[in-house]
Amino acid sequence: MSQEPPAGAAMNATEARKDLYALVKRAEEDGVTTLIHKREDRALLVPLDRFPAARKPDAFPSHLLSAAQKDFGDLISRAAQGQPQVLRRSRTPVAVLLPVDTDSAPHSSQAAAMSAAPAGGAVNSQATQDRGSTPRRLATLGDTIGSVLASGPAGGPTFGLPGLDAATGGLQPGLLTLVAAPPAGGGSLLGLAAARKTALGESRKVLYAASGPNRADIFRRILAAETGGDYPRLKQGRLTEHEQQVAQQLRQQASVLLIDDGSDLTAEAIAETAPHVEDLALVVVDRLQAAHNARLPLSGNRLPDASQVLASLARTLHVPVLAIVDSTDPTLLGLLDADIMLTLAPTEDPSKVEVTVAERDFGAIGSAYLQPDLLHARFLDAGAAPAGRTGGEGTARNLGSTMEQELAEAALPYTSGAQQGLPASVTHVLAALRTALVNGDREALAELGPALAEAASAPPQLPDTAEGRRLASALQAYNTTAPADTTGQPEAAGVQPAADSGQVPDDVDEEDDDRDGLAPGDEEDEPEGAVFPALKILKDAVARSKMHPIPVIRTEERDSGPWTLISEDMDGEPRWVHPDVTLTRVPHMKANGKRVRRDRLDVPDSFGAGVMCLIDRNGSYPSACSAVPLAPNKLLHTGPLQAFDKTQAGIYLIEIPQWNHTDMPHPLGRIIDRPDEQGRVWVTTPHIKQLEKLVREGHLAAAPTIHDSWTGKANESLFKPFYEATRKARTELVQVGGDPYKAYKTRLSIALRLLWPKRAEQRSPFWRPDWRMSMVAEASVRHWSVAFRAVQDGHKLIALRNVDAAVFWTPPGTPPATYRIGTGFGEVKAKFVQPGDIIPEGDD
């Protein structure tokens, strides 16, 4: 391992590349500036305080430290040419490479720092510098606030155990977390849980340093936990067919879990290896052994020094380090350099253990219960301890139903004063609700029933923000499903945030209420012998994926992260009418006697003679399933991006690109109708790919800037088996017609809608709004693209509607040649409508 570079020394690019992590740490902690030269190019590696503008997310090119180390020579050249290069750890800027004024720059880095960008913080006095010592950085409070705000919400690894994750807040970058458990108490399984969740669940790099188990043990434990197979049987090498299949699937993800079970494993060896793991997300050390063993460096009286090395590693790389200690002896634990301590202890209930979470300087900050499942080498979640109570077996669970607890949590931003906008009377009632729940006051909770019911029955107008939408949803749920006389009783089902409804079904009037088209029972598998078991086929397609998709986002995670950013407006449905054409909504009586409204399009005489040709695409949604780009696993916050990465998929915050074609709608459809205050919108991957293609073809001036993003590893084949089964069934049933074909279409629609059920009572096997909206967006993009090709061929488009209907002005009986007429996927039906008639929909 290279020696730590001297403070303020000038270095060549090769030396600096090797010591980059140490140089950045010196810049961060001590404010040291280093002059780096590469032939004639010279650049300064400076602290952020010297160049505050580098903290702005999209101001300058930025690079992960691992990537910067790989391309360091190029970055030096770019910086020397006047292009600042920001270095970041995860999403957080940590240092910046700046150009040096070659005419006046001194040859020492300390002097060069004085001629670099103006400082944003404070340094020691000139007198101190004259003594020849390196000045220590004195950060202003403003710098600290800016750094914290720029880092955004915590996005560190978790254990995948909701109660424990809630108590810890996840594994924090830059901190050493110790898990203290008695020998054979299962402490190692928490390290394995975090590694499985991070590597296999989120496809992020984990370094697993195994001082106790060997790599074969680790694999068997992972396989047991993933499949529910018996660990003792797996140790004998006896695998079932299912376990062998899962083992082969795990092989596809092997590159994200790196295991070091070599002999003489020391903390120093771990610290030397970790910086060379690109995009490292977590280090797990399994384990630190309390009893001395001459063959195990991580044991006995060497543990205090080892813990200091591991703590320094966490801070240097700004990654979480999780180490397991096979002891709960307070004397030993007091000698270890832990930022966070998780202590496992038995409870009176033998099926449950309690984990107490303690933080340095604060003591116990939370606790959670876990259920040991040692036969399958894992822990199961047994719930978080009640709020405000840490430790102590036998503490009471929170009073009140899940619905009341959700209402109290949703109201917290307003009752705490962080958000404004609620009437004082409603604020008072909701604050009293939270107090009653926290204090376990049944009598007060019962007395609040009528007041809560009144507030929920006539809710105030709330702002269109994540906090406002969550509270509105909680009030609506309370009003519809929790009468006052049931207040305080347990509620089995959790509350799901409401979402904007999609297109109104054909047979529902505009004034009907919002519905997602699902009814109780739709979420159940189709019976044996069903004409088309769409839901079962969709579930099987996802289950067979080698990427281990996460079909359901946990309820407690749905009100944070990317999930509150996703809405039905992201579908990109055009809903466009040519600017010279007049649209009127007129009453219409359907054959079944129901009154609805339909569109009438009035075309000006300047369009010449013709009729309206209604194009109806077959199976827009299932067709999109053939290759829809999405992330099967959890979306991670990847922040601003310099360019769209084809290997990733998710959601992206972009500025609305200018579209100058008056004969075609904007390629983003109705997404552009609801920009934020900066004129930006969130879109899914299909629309990003569409915009990139339009740039390549010269229809857009430049690709949109990606100001923020939540992404995961991309996959376009997750739904392909479902698409193939759907296409085959349609080919057979479209000829049969009648009830079988109607049943096919109904179950197909239900299966795709169940990807994102809107109501709490829907127990769907899925809850992935990003999958649902990506699939609908893919259908919209395909619909728009075919219409655009027709316009480019000279056809007159007068309306583009939803994701499957287009209206052209054509000679009678002559559809645009760019469409294929037929009954299969990718083909269309063409109907001709005389001027003045309504545009039919559905079964009109």
Side-chain angles (χ1 to χ4, degrees):
M1 189 173 183
S2 59
Q3 296 181 347
E4 189 173 82
M11 305 177 70
N12 64 41
T14 301
E15 295 171 334
R17 180 204 304 269
K18 187 167 54 176
D19 294 317
L20 181 60
Y21 284 88
L23 293 173
V24 169
K25 181 182 178 184
R26 299 294 294 272
E28 280 187 287
E29 298 183 358
D30 300 324
V32 173
T33 295
T34 304
L35 177 65
I36 302 171
H37 53 86
K38 174 192 168 188
R39 298 186 184 90
E40 301 301 321
D41 295 333
R42 295 197 300 158
L44 294 170
L45 177 64
V46 304
L48 289 181
D49 292 344
R50 298 285 181 184
F51 196 62
R55 292 194 179 96
K56 297 179 65 175
D58 53 355
F60 302 97
S62 66
H63 316 270
L64 284 170
L65 283 176
S66 56
Q69 194 170 40
K70 186 186 306 180
D71 301 324
F72 196 63
D74 290 341
L75 300 189
I76 294 299
S77 298
R78 294 180 208 166
Q81 293 165 10
Q83 305 173 31
Q85 304 292 314
V86 179
L87 307 182
R88 54 186 172 84
R89 191 180 288 113
S90 185
R91 301 184 305 273
T92 307
V94 291
V96 60
L97 289 167
L98 293 177
V100 176
D101 182 354
T102 54
D103 293 329
S104 59
H107 291 283
S108 76
S109 63
Q110 187 58 43
M114 304 304 293
S115 65
V123 296
N124 283 356
S125 65
Q126 184 63 41
T128 304
Q129 297 176 40
D130 290 342
R131 290 196 295 267
S133 63
T134 300
R136 295 186 61 80
R137 180 187 59 161
L138 305 179
T140 68
L141 178 60
D143 290 329
T144 305
I145 293 172
S147 177
V148 171
L149 294 180
S151 65
T158 62
F159 294 94
L161 298 163
L164 183 58
D165 291 335
T168 60
L171 295 167
Q172 304 301 316
L175 301 183
L176 170 62
T177 299
L178 292 184
V179 175
S188 290
L189 299 186
L190 282 185
L192 194 68
R196 285 172 46 221
K197 180 68 164 53
T198 306
L200 304 182
E202 301 174 355
S203 298
R204 302 169 71 189
K205 287 282 184 67
V206 175
L207 172 59
Y208 201 101
S211 177
N214 59 37
R215 66 187 67 182
D217 290 333
I218 293 169
F219 162 68
R220 294 185 186 110
R221 293 176 185 182
I222 290 175
L223 188 60
E226 291 287 312
T227 63
D230 295 349
Y231 177 59
R233 174 174 54 78
L234 293 177
K235 289 198 70 172
Q236 299 171 10
R238 295 188 290 118
L239 277 66
T240 66
E241 182 178 352
H242 172 64
E243 290 162 352
Q244 291 174 353
Q245 292 175 350
V246 173
Q248 292 302 320
Q249 293 172 0
L250 291 174
R251 187 190 296 271
Q252 306 299 321
Q253 295 177 280
S255 62
V256 294
L257 182 56
L258 308 175
I259 302 173
D260 184 352
D261 64 346
S263 59
D264 296 329
L265 182 64
T266 64
E268 290 77 11
I270 298 169
E272 289 179 358
T273 303
H276 299 286
V277 179
E278 187 173 1
D279 298 329
L280 181 63
L282 173 66
V283 177
V284 176
V285 182
D286 183 9
R287 60 189 173 267
L288 308 181
Q289 181 173 299
H292 175 71
N293 186 324
R295 295 185 295 106
L296 293 179
L298 295 177
S299 68
N301 59 10
R302 287 171 284 192
L303 293 188
D305 290 342
S307 70
Q308 291 181 8
V309 173
L310 295 176
S312 176
L313 170 64
R315 285 186 280 274
T316 301
L317 296 188
H318 198 65
V319 298
V321 175
L322 177 66
I324 317 302
V325 187
D326 65 350
S327 172
T328 55
D329 179 8
T331 303
L332 171 62
L333 299 181
L335 298 175
L336 304 184
D337 193 15
D339 298 294
I340 306 290
M341 183 75 72
L342 310 183
T343 305
L344 276 69
T347 68
E348 294 179 1
D349 182 351
S351 66
K352 188 166 62 174
V353 298
E354 183 175 17
V355 184
T356 302
V357 183
E359 185 172 331
R360 196 203 314 255
D361 300 330
F362 286 95
I365 60 171
S367 64
Y369 298 117
L370 299 176
Q371 177 185 337
D373 184 12
L374 303 185
L375 181 64
H376 302 129
R378 63 190 179 187
F379 280 111
L380 303 177
D381 183 60
R389 303 174 191 264
T390 57
E393 171 62 20
T395 54
R397 291 188 178 273
N398 272 353
L399 183 66
S401 66
T402 303
M403 181 176 51
E404 289 164 331
Q405 293 170 7
E406 164 63 16
L407 181 57
E409 290 300 316
L412 181 59
Y414 295 91
T415 57
S416 67
Q419 299 284 336
Q420 305 296 320
L422 279 184
S425 58
V426 177
T427 303
H428 175 75
V429 170
L430 295 177
L433 169 64
R434 185 173 185 84
T435 301
L437 292 174
V438 172
N439 294 337
D441 191 337
R442 290 184 180 275
E443 185 176 347
L445 187 60
E447 292 176 354
L448 284 171
L452 287 170
E454 181 180 355
S457 64
Q461 183 70 32
L462 291 163
D464 187 18
T465 60
E467 296 84 359
R469 289 191 293 270
R470 181 182 179 186
L471 181 54
S473 175
L475 286 168
Q476 181 183 15
Y478 187 93
N479 182 51
T480 56
T481 61
D485 60 357
T486 64
T487 298
Q489 299 302 315
E491 179 70 31
V495 176
Q496 223 167 267
D500 298 334
S501 68
Q503 177 189 347
V504 178
D506 293 335
D507 58 348
V508 178
D509 197 353
E510 292 176 317
E511 298 178 357
D512 207 352
D513 57 348
D514 285 338
R515 294 187 291 183
D516 58 10
L518 298 171
D522 283 346
E523 67 276 12
E524 299 176 3
D525 282 356
E526 297 84 354
E528 291 292 332
V531 172
F532 183 64
L535 181 58
K536 185 178 185 302
I537 293 171
L538 185 59
K539 288 167 58 178
D540 290 346
V542 172
R544 292 202 307 267
S545 172
K546 295 180 180 180
M547 294 193 70
H548 293 281
I550 302 174
V552 179
I553 299 300
R554 297 179 185 274
T555 304
E556 59 270 20
E557 297 177 7
R558 297 176 188 178
D559 294 321
S560 60
W563 314 115
T564 58
L565 304 172
I566 300 173
S567 75
E568 291 281 0
D569 294 311
M570 294 169 71
D571 57 16
E573 290 186 354
R575 302 187 183 185
W576 174 87
V577 176
H578 192 286
D580 296 333
V581 174
T582 303
L583 179 145
T584 308
R585 295 288 283 175
V586 298
H588 173 66
M589 182 74 73
K590 296 182 64 175
N592 60 9
K594 186 166 185 177
R595 293 183 59 83
V596 293
R597 290 184 179 272
R598 292 290 180 258
D599 290 348
R600 186 178 67 204
L601 300 174
D602 296 318
V603 179
D605 294 339
S606 59
F607 279 37
V611 296
M612 289 178 285
C613 177
L614 175 61
I615 296 294
D616 184 8
R617 299 182 70 234
N618 298 323
S620 292
Y621 290 156
S623 292
C625 292
S626 62
V628 52
L630 48 78
N633 301 110
K634 190 174 181 180
L635 298 182
L636 304 177
H637 191 205
T638 42
L641 302 176
Q642 294 185 34
F644 169 62
D645 182 352
K646 295 180 181 179
T647 67
Q648 302 293 301
I651 63 173
Y652 307 83
L653 181 64
I654 64 171
E655 293 176 0
I656 299 173
Q658 185 175 357
W659 181 249
N660 298 322
H661 295 256
T662 59
D663 52 0
M664 274 294 296
H666 196 285
L668 294 182
R670 68 168 178 164
I671 295 176
I672 67 175
D673 295 336
R674 298 183 67 178
D676 64 11
E677 295 178 355
Q678 287 77 41
R680 303 174 302 187
V681 291
W682 285 96
V683 301
T684 54
T685 309
H687 278 111
I688 283 285
K689 294 183 68 175
Q690 179 194 33
L691 297 179
E692 295 272 341
K693 180 181 179 182
L694 291 173
V695 171
R696 292 195 301 270
E697 294 176 350
H699 302 298
L700 287 177
T705 300
I706 301 175
H707 296 281
D708 199 2
S709 62
W710 290 80
T711 62
K713 188 175 181 180
N715 177 278
E716 293 192 356
S717 61
L718 184 63
F719 298 152
K720 190 171 183 179
F722 176 76
Y723 158 76
E724 291 173 344
T726 303
R727 182 180 61 177
K728 180 180 177 182
R730 179 187 175 90
T731 302
E732 298 171 353
L733 294 172
V734 75
Q735 303 299 328
V736 176
D739 289 340
Y741 183 57
K742 183 177 180 181
Y744 157 83
K745 292 203 301 181
T746 298
R747 290 309 301 180
L748 173 62
S749 175
I750 287 172
L752 294 178
R753 289 179 182 275
L754 281 171
L755 289 173
W756 187 14
K758 307 299 194 304
R759 294 176 292 176
E761 62 267 26
Q762 286 289 349
R763 297 301 182 189
S764 171
F766 301 100
W767 196 89
R768 286 302 298 254
D770 55 322
W771 291 2
R772 166 72 182 176
M773 298 321 302
S774 293
M775 182 268 295
V776 179
E778 177 69 17
S780 293
V781 166
R782 295 184 182 195
H783 179 44
W784 187 96
S785 299
V786 179
F788 189 36
R789 286 201 297 271
V791 171
Q792 289 178 296
D793 283 356
H795 297 284
K796 178 70 73 174
L797 180 68
I798 62 174
L800 200 60
R801 314 165 72 241
N802 309 328
V803 299
D804 55 7
V807 184
F808 289 86
W809 187 251
T810 69
T814 310
T818 51
Y819 289 92
R820 289 184 294 128
I821 307 299
T823 60
F825 286 167
E827 297 177 332
V828 302
K829 297 182 287 288
K831 302 177 184 178
F832 296 93
V833 181
Q834 294 299 319
D837 289 350
I838 67 162
I839 303 298
E841 295 182 6
D843 60 353
D844 288 349

Short mmCIF file of all heavy atoms in Angstrom, two decimals, residues 518-536:
data_model
loop_
_atom_site.label_atom_id
_atom_site.label_comp_id
_atom_site.label_asym_id
_atom_site.label_seq_id
_atom_site.Cartn_x
_atom_site.Cartn_y
_atom_site.Cartn_z
N LEU A 518 -60.38 -2.26 -11.17
CA LEU A 518 -60.21 -3.54 -10.48
C LEU A 518 -61.33 -3.74 -9.47
O LEU A 518 -61.83 -2.79 -8.88
CB LEU A 518 -58.86 -3.58 -9.75
CG LEU A 518 -57.63 -3.49 -10.65
CD1 LEU A 518 -56.38 -3.32 -9.80
CD2 LEU A 518 -57.51 -4.70 -11.55
N ALA A 519 -61.70 -4.98 -9.27
CA ALA A 519 -62.74 -5.33 -8.30
C ALA A 519 -62.18 -6.37 -7.34
O ALA A 519 -61.20 -7.06 -7.66
CB ALA A 519 -63.97 -5.89 -9.03
N PRO A 520 -62.77 -6.50 -6.14
CA PRO A 520 -62.31 -7.53 -5.21
C PRO A 520 -62.32 -8.90 -5.86
O PRO A 520 -63.26 -9.28 -6.56
CB PRO A 520 -63.33 -7.43 -4.06
CG PRO A 520 -63.82 -6.02 -4.13
CD PRO A 520 -63.84 -5.66 -5.58
N GLY A 521 -61.25 -9.64 -5.65
CA GLY A 521 -61.12 -10.96 -6.26
C GLY A 521 -60.29 -10.97 -7.53
O GLY A 521 -59.81 -12.04 -7.94
N ASP A 522 -60.11 -9.81 -8.15
CA ASP A 522 -59.32 -9.76 -9.39
C ASP A 522 -57.87 -10.19 -9.14
O ASP A 522 -57.20 -10.67 -10.06
CB ASP A 522 -59.34 -8.35 -9.98
CG ASP A 522 -60.65 -8.04 -10.69
OD1 ASP A 522 -61.42 -8.99 -10.94
OD2 ASP A 522 -60.90 -6.86 -10.97
N GLU A 523 -57.39 -9.96 -7.92
CA GLU A 523 -55.99 -10.24 -7.63
C GLU A 523 -55.71 -11.74 -7.44
O GLU A 523 -54.56 -12.14 -7.27
CB GLU A 523 -55.54 -9.47 -6.38
CG GLU A 523 -56.20 -9.94 -5.09
CD GLU A 523 -57.55 -9.30 -4.85
OE1 GLU A 523 -58.10 -8.67 -5.78
OE2 GLU A 523 -58.07 -9.42 -3.74
N GLU A 524 -56.74 -12.56 -7.44
CA GLU A 524 -56.58 -13.99 -7.25
C GLU A 524 -56.27 -14.67 -8.59
O GLU A 524 -56.76 -14.26 -9.64
CB GLU A 524 -57.84 -14.58 -6.64
CG GLU A 524 -58.16 -14.00 -5.25
CD GLU A 524 -59.47 -14.55 -4.71
OE1 GLU A 524 -60.08 -15.41 -5.38
OE2 GLU A 524 -59.89 -14.10 -3.62
N ASP A 525 -55.48 -15.74 -8.51
CA ASP A 525 -55.16 -16.49 -9.73
C ASP A 525 -56.42 -17.04 -10.38
O ASP A 525 -57.40 -17.38 -9.70
CB ASP A 525 -54.23 -17.65 -9.40
CG ASP A 525 -52.80 -17.19 -9.22
OD1 ASP A 525 -52.54 -16.00 -9.43
OD2 ASP A 525 -51.95 -18.02 -8.85
N GLU A 526 -56.39 -17.13 -11.69
CA GLU A 526 -57.52 -17.67 -12.43
C GLU A 526 -57.70 -19.15 -12.11
O GLU A 526 -56.72 -19.86 -11.83
CB GLU A 526 -57.30 -17.49 -13.93
CG GLU A 526 -57.22 -16.06 -14.40
CD GLU A 526 -55.85 -15.43 -14.26
OE1 GLU A 526 -54.94 -16.10 -13.69
OE2 GLU A 526 -55.67 -14.30 -14.71
N PRO A 527 -58.94 -19.64 -12.11
CA PRO A 527 -59.18 -21.07 -11.82
C PRO A 527 -58.61 -21.95 -12.92
O PRO A 527 -58.33 -21.50 -14.04
CB PRO A 527 -60.71 -21.15 -11.77
CG PRO A 527 -61.19 -20.01 -12.61
CD PRO A 527 -60.19 -18.91 -12.41
N GLU A 528 -58.43 -23.22 -12.57
CA GLU A 528 -57.98 -24.20 -13.57
C GLU A 528 -58.95 -24.22 -14.75
O GLU A 528 -60.16 -24.21 -14.58
CB GLU A 528 -57.89 -25.60 -12.95
CG GLU A 528 -56.78 -25.75 -11.92
CD GLU A 528 -55.40 -25.67 -12.57
OE1 GLU A 528 -55.29 -26.04 -13.76
OE2 GLU A 528 -54.45 -25.23 -11.89
N GLY A 529 -58.40 -24.27 -15.96
CA GLY A 529 -59.24 -24.32 -17.14
C GLY A 529 -59.71 -22.97 -17.64
O GLY A 529 -60.52 -22.89 -18.56
N ALA A 530 -59.20 -21.87 -17.04
CA ALA A 530 -59.59 -20.54 -17.49
C ALA A 530 -59.15 -20.34 -18.94
O ALA A 530 -58.12 -20.87 -19.37
CB ALA A 530 -58.98 -19.46 -16.60
N VAL A 531 -59.93 -19.55 -19.68
CA VAL A 531 -59.61 -19.31 -21.09
C VAL A 531 -58.21 -18.74 -21.24
O VAL A 531 -57.43 -19.17 -22.10
CB VAL A 531 -60.65 -18.35 -21.71
CG1 VAL A 531 -60.22 -17.93 -23.11
CG2 VAL A 531 -62.01 -19.01 -21.75
N PHE A 532 -57.86 -17.78 -20.39
CA PHE A 532 -56.53 -17.17 -20.45
C PHE A 532 -56.13 -16.75 -19.04
O PHE A 532 -56.54 -15.69 -18.56
CB PHE A 532 -56.53 -15.97 -21.40
CG PHE A 532 -55.15 -15.35 -21.54
CD1 PHE A 532 -54.10 -16.07 -22.09
CD2 PHE A 532 -54.91 -14.06 -21.13
CE1 PHE A 532 -52.85 -15.51 -22.23
CE2 PHE A 532 -53.65 -13.48 -21.27
CZ PHE A 532 -52.62 -14.22 -21.83
N PRO A 533 -55.30 -17.55 -18.34
CA PRO A 533 -54.88 -17.21 -16.98
C PRO A 533 -53.79 -16.14 -16.98
O PRO A 533 -52.62 -16.39 -16.68
CB PRO A 533 -54.36 -18.55 -16.44
CG PRO A 533 -53.85 -19.26 -17.65
CD PRO A 533 -54.77 -18.86 -18.78
N ALA A 534 -54.16 -14.91 -17.31
CA ALA A 534 -53.18 -13.84 -17.53
C ALA A 534 -52.35 -13.55 -16.30
O ALA A 534 -51.13 -13.38 -16.38
CB ALA A 534 -53.91 -12.58 -17.99
N LEU A 535 -53.00 -13.45 -15.12
CA LEU A 535 -52.26 -13.09 -13.90
C LEU A 535 -51.25 -14.18 -13.55
O LEU A 535 -50.10 -13.88 -13.19
CB LEU A 535 -53.22 -12.85 -12.75
CG LEU A 535 -52.56 -12.44 -11.42
CD1 LEU A 535 -51.74 -11.18 -11.59
CD2 LEU A 535 -53.62 -12.26 -10.33
N LYS A 536 -51.65 -15.40 -13.66
CA LYS A 536 -50.73 -16.50 -13.36
C LYS A 536 -49.54 -16.48 -14.32
O LYS A 536 -48.39 -16.68 -13.91
CB LYS A 536 -51.46 -17.84 -13.45
CG LYS A 536 -50.61 -19.04 -13.04
CD LYS A 536 -51.42 -20.32 -13.11
CE LYS A 536 -50.61 -21.50 -12.58
NZ LYS A 536 -49.36 -21.71 -13.31
#
